[in-house]
């Protein structure tokens, strides 16, 4: 399906359930998609950072996108990440995710290789030239170690290279520059602006963003959909209360002992533990080399769920 | 062939010649290997950062390692990079480079994903457990954004996980801690310490490193081999003079206009332009999205070569 | 005067007008204060980053705080920065700003010296123990290169060490954790949360912040006061329009040529040029070693003012 | 006394002994100077990072420089740090250290304030214009968060602005560019290049540096002087052995528990504990807000001393 222009609402970055031996757990993935669709979400983003795309082999990535696109069957737009270091490698991912039927692709700036604004622009232009579906830029400095400049994003939008932005930079002021800049340019009226900052979705929507890509929406899609609808309805007070409830729930990302694991292991481990505790996925395993949560840490995830009325 | 323990001398990170349409130029790659072997080098490192591994598709990487291993035919050890974000993806590279006959693999810490010392250790352990050949750690903070801790490297060496270190951190004091630490532990006597810092190879060898992996050795293998032999012979004065000559030649990496391209585009562009000017490779193209050098910039590369008596 | 608990509204970081030979221009400083008071602001913050505190000698800092406190004469609370590297040096600043009559002090984490959360806590405890007035923490990672942890801020608040936070981190999610955390702890009900992010003041107030410290309020105090009142009145639509107008005006910080000067020279130069063009201060000079704006760049500042109806 | 051009040999950054209530302990400072002079050092650097200059008030700094210059009485050149955020503040330090009789000053790039190469150049030019004694640049990115560009250093040397460089960047390749660049420019033949990297002093001297400023030389001046003389004599093998002994001794900087304190607290605490254990200073206190070493940690310092035959 052609994605809406702009795409609005809640577009969760779909977690990738794994079996105990770290293969993609297809039945669990399908149940997770159903859980999200039932939650009322407006699109799905597979193979993003919260999907552990960086930890999945190409074969696993392909299986994920094929599974989700086939199961969704056009009910919702499916965006697919094509996360890799540079253009030639990204284009390999573009080939199979578009063959699988993804409705849009989501690409970061080059990483590992040292880069430069001119090279970032060249990268997106080449990717767009070879993609049969719209290209979203994925701004995630914590992973790629450069920040996309708002003016570059807007100029690539005006060129027809970029159709949207998924902003996980945490820099709301820069994101606002894109949101208001896009609105001010009638020729890019359909440009989509999505925030990946799950703790300030209300703020992002209030300043004009089209939607959100919250990792935590895997755990509580209904909450984020409710938040989105309250914002759209201009009920900012109740929106804030819902957002604050979700901020509290988000505390689960800190359950992992920092002496024993990184923040990513803790956060993704918590999301998967929560999905497991809620009965959505069969196994909470995260991909290697992430460190698994201990039993006690999983118990604390359970308390967050209970506190939020999700268990 | 089993790699020497330790591997000593000059082990250039072999550039990957490309055709004008950015396919691997196999005849040029073979000529480049001959050029290096003729220069007297002690090993070859394919699919490293200077090889543009980050820019090569899996098919291209496979072609490179197969071509070089077949052509070298056991005359020299061939190390192969398996650069990717995390363990499962690295293991896919391990499979084909070892199938192709690489004598050792060279792996970085995880990147893109947030990481942690415990996860880095877990990563190397898993990679080693699945590799049929020795594993070298590749310390390159400029690309992976974490620094390998000397104590971690030494403890993984003592465990039998790591067989060597390729240090491109620029932190000579930390590298020295590994070099002297390894010498002090008789159980890891064969551990190999290679510096990737082409401007202080004499310093690294003087403090006990086993060898060097200088990108510039693509352009002037004879120079680095000469430098290595002078250091081994304890002729530090002439070694310093040779190193300084090479430092001067290295100035070519700065020919690219920083307003128009990044430092990587400039450096790799210069190495390839030099190889082209010297008649070793057919085309100086670098992989996308790197920005090509201008004609004037290539001319300046020629002047560096002429100044060093290489043209 | 005792500062309100919490302090709410607009608290501009007062620019420090200089003479052409870089001495504090006292008459201009007084005019600037009057301009801000006439604009309706709720407090003044002297000797902050926008005040060029890092560029002022101790004698100049003392003159600034004495001048402003004396001129304000209790009509508004005056907060004073005590920006220096470590505790002993900060305490020297505490002595003269409190002697001058500042109503609160604003201190950063230690910088230049390598630091640690335990040392940051120790620092604030020692500063508070020696200060006769309330202590606000100043979170400004771009300058001090560490981020204050929300939990540390809240725990120091609960201890009675910190009375407020001025957040210039740009990390709205972390700021929200302090804002909602403070509201949830009845024992720190009077804790003040101020945002220094002038481009998302509406967002910060919407999520519960007490006020803002916008550098741009030097240029347009009326605008920020209007924005604050609209937010307090719950008129979010008009608030957003006002904020967007101010975001447009803020574009002036980019007038300086990045090939010739840093972002700080450009931004502070623009604010002072604007104040000069508006007739508030006698000379737009910034402190050394900042690079002055060119005439053409100052003209562009004028266009921003004209565009915002301020000229 | 006019400092030699170049200044060569060992120039320790003199620790600042403190009393238990954190005042400068003048008798201990004099004993420490005697200890260093007896050790055969070639100059003294007061008010550097290892001197805790960042933690000393202006009055304390003045007392330090006056005490040391008076006590040394021209027997050795005394360099004085003028560490502060920007030009005007640095100039205040220049005034009193030159009044006290310092033979040269050592200044960093601006910090806290965002900066730019053009502003760094302007800063050094202004400082030199106002200093009656030679100016050394202090390259210490870990503290000031920018790296001095070798070409900028050389061009400021050619202008007559800079008389030397103290390099604590850890980037030996960049330092080498200055060392060889200075040698290649006859007009700056007297330019002094000093390394602050105490673990690779042999490497730095081997590539042509004039001398070293090793913090650890407070603890073992004889060792560093011996190392320097061995290097000058071309006895690289014994030099390496001496350097490795000093690297082992340097391990003391890691005694502090990283869960409880930062690396700076640990390192400076260890140096002072060692000086106290060796009977040179009366009290091992470090300045606030550094965390003191525990008794057990001090014991470990003692073991390092004993292992090196210094107790």
């Amino acid at each position: 399906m052609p994605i809406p222009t702009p795409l609005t609402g809640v577009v969760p970055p779909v977690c990738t359930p794994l079996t105990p031996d770290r293969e993609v757990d297809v039945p669990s993935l399908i149940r997770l998609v159903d859980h999200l669709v039932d939650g009322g979400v407006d699109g799905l983003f597979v193979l993003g950072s919260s999907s552990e795309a960086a930890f999945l082999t190409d074969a696993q990535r392909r299986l994920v996108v094929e599974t989700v696109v086939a199961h969704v069957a056009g009910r919702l737009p499916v965006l697919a990440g094509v996360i890799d270091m540079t253009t030639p490698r990204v284009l390999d991912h573009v080939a199979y995710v578009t063959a699988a039927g993804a409705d849009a692709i989501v690409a970061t700036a080059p990483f590992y290789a040292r880069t430069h604004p001119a090279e970032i622009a060249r990268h997106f232009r080449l990717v767009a030239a070879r993609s049969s579906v719209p290209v979203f830029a994925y701004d995630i400095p914590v992973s790629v170690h450069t920040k996309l400049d708002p003016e570059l994003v807007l100029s690539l939008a005006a060129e027809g290279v970029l159709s949207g932005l998924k902003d996980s930079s945490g820099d709301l002021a820069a994101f606002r520059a894109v949101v208001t800049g896009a609105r001010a340019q009638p020729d890019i009226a359909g440009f989509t602006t999505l925030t990946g900052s799950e703790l300030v979705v209300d703020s992002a929507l209030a300043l004009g963003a089209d939607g959100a890509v919250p990792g935590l929406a895997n755990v509580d899609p209904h909450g984020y959909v409710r938040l989105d609808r309250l914002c759209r309805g201009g009920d900012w007070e109740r929106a804030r209360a819902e957002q604050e409830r979700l901020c509290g729930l988000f505390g689960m990302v800190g359950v992992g002992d920092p002496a024993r694991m990184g923040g990513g292991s803790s956060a993704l481990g918590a999301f998967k533990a929560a999905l497991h505790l809620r009965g959505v996925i069969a196994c909470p395993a995260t991909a290697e080399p992430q460190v698994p949560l201990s039993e006690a840490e999983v118990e604390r995830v359970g308390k967050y769920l209970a506190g939020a009325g999700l268990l």
Side-chain angles (χ1 to χ4, degrees), chain A residues 12-16 24 29 44-66 68-69 78-84 93-94 96-98 100 102 104-108 138 166:
Chain A
V14 185
C15 283
T16 306
V24 175
L29 177 57
L44 297 173
F45 173 33
V46 297
L47 304 179
S49 303
S50 297
S51 319
E52 296 174 89
F55 299 89
L56 301 179
T57 64
D58 286 7
Q60 290 175 325
R61 290 193 188 190
R62 183 192 296 256
L63 177 56
V64 165
V65 66
E66 287 174 353
V68 172
V69 170
V78 176
L79 291 71
V82 289
I83 295 173
D84 217 317
H93 299 293
V94 170
Y96 67 77
V97 303
T98 54
I105 62 167
V106 186
T108 70
Y138 191 174
K166 193 234 155 168

Side-chain angles (χ1 to χ4, degrees), chain A residues 57-259:
Chain A
T57 64
D58 286 7
Q60 290 175 325
R61 290 193 188 190
R62 183 192 296 256
L63 177 56
V64 165
V65 66
E66 287 174 353
T67 299
V68 172
V69 170
H71 184 67
V72 166
R75 288 174 290 164
L76 290 178
V78 176
L79 291 71
V82 289
I83 295 173
D84 217 317
M85 297 172 238
T86 62
T87 320
R89 295 185 62 81
V90 166
L91 289 176
D92 273 3
H93 299 293
V94 170
Y96 67 77
V97 303
T98 54
D103 301 305
I105 62 167
V106 186
T108 70
F111 55 94
Y112 186 90
R114 286 185 288 165
T115 191
H116 183 276
E119 292 157 9
I120 294 173
R122 191 177 176 104
H123 172 69
F124 283 120
R125 283 186 191 113
L126 287 162
V127 169
R130 291 276 292 278
S131 171
S132 55
V133 298
V135 178
F136 282 49
Y138 191 174
D139 192 17
I140 183 163
V142 72
S143 291
V144 307
H145 301 279
T146 52
K147 167 90 188 80
L148 293 180
D149 181 64
E151 286 185 37
L152 176 62
V153 170
L154 289 170
S155 97
L156 290 173
E159 268 185 46
V161 166
L162 293 180
S163 300
L165 170 68
K166 193 234 155 168
D167 181 276
S168 297
S169 72
D171 182 342
L172 193 66
F175 181 55
R176 175 171 231 159
V178 176
V179 169
T180 56
R183 208 177 29 199
Q185 284 181 241
D187 56 326
I188 55 169
F191 188 80
T192 295
T193 50
L194 303 174
T195 180
S197 299
E198 53 235 292
L199 303 178
V200 291
V201 168
D202 57 344
S203 310
L205 294 177
L207 60 77
D210 294 308
V213 186
L216 186 63
N218 282 279
V219 178
D220 189 5
H222 299 83
Y224 275 100
V225 169
R226 208 151 46 223
L227 170 58
D228 177 73
R229 303 318 179 235
L230 289 168
C231 291
R232 274 170 217 293
D235 189 348
W236 298 109
E237 204 150 331
R238 286 175 64 211
R240 182 166 85 167
E242 183 65 25
Q243 175 72 74
E244 290 182 0
R245 189 187 64 80
L246 290 163
C247 289
L249 183 62
F250 187 76
M252 72 169 62
V253 304
V255 296
D257 177 1

